[in-house]
Amino acid sequence: MTDGFERLNHDEVVSIEPDTFKKLEIAKTFKVRDLITAIKEYIGADETIEVDLYTDGLSCEVLKFSAQGWVKGKVRLALEFCPDDPDSPLDEIYQIHQQLKQIDQETLW
């Protein structure tokens, strides 16, 4: 079952209430990639290995519920969105698609 959130593409545009971010230097309306860049700059990740957390991912191991033990791979951060009005006629189709995708991923492991 999905929780209504979907991952945003780095080129999608987000508009927030003014002064939402007190410590990040970012406009009220921005692309997802601009927020990621602002976070990287704020924590000083540009000159460290941590920058991969926002791009290619960091090597790691995850103990997944659907796996038999630890699974090696990569982890990275993403921005997700959930609409306030989830009563779209396409929501049911989207949820079925997500469930089928999850089943496909679980059967690969």
Side-chain angles (χ1 to χ4, degrees):
M1 169 118 15
T2 64
D3 61 0
F5 280 87
E6 61 185 66
R7 185 175 178 175
L8 294 176
N9 180 292
H10 283 197
D11 288 320
E12 291 184 292
V13 177
V14 177
S15 180
I16 57 173
E17 295 294 321
D19 301 323
T20 297
F21 294 116
K22 303 284 187 216
K23 297 184 178 186
L24 296 179
E25 291 186 28
I26 193 157
K28 176 186 166 211
T29 303
F30 55 87
K31 286 186 178 182
V32 170
R33 77 174 65 255
D34 296 334
L35 177 60
I36 292 170
T37 299
I39 293 170
K40 288 191 302 189
E41 289 173 359
Y42 179 74
I43 66 169
D46 276 333
E47 292 123 23
T48 66
I49 189 74
E50 290 132 348
V51 73
D52 289 342
L53 187 57
Y54 308 94
T55 55
D56 301 327
L58 292 174
S59 295
C60 69
E61 290 182 274
V62 174
L63 186 57
K64 292 182 57 96
F65 295 128
S66 61
Q68 298 287 335
W70 291 93
V71 179
K72 290 185 179 189
K74 292 188 174 191
V75 64
R76 69 178 174 189
L77 293 179
L79 191 62
E80 295 183 336
F81 171 74
C82 180
D84 287 340
D85 183 15
D87 296 328
S88 166
L90 298 177
D91 281 347
E92 186 175 344
I93 295 168
Y94 176 75
Q95 287 179 4
I96 292 169
H97 176 319
Q98 290 299 103
Q99 289 170 351
L100 291 173
K101 197 162 88 173
Q102 179 72 25
I103 291 168
D104 284 346
Q105 289 175 349
E106 290 173 0
T107 57
L108 290 175
W109 298 104

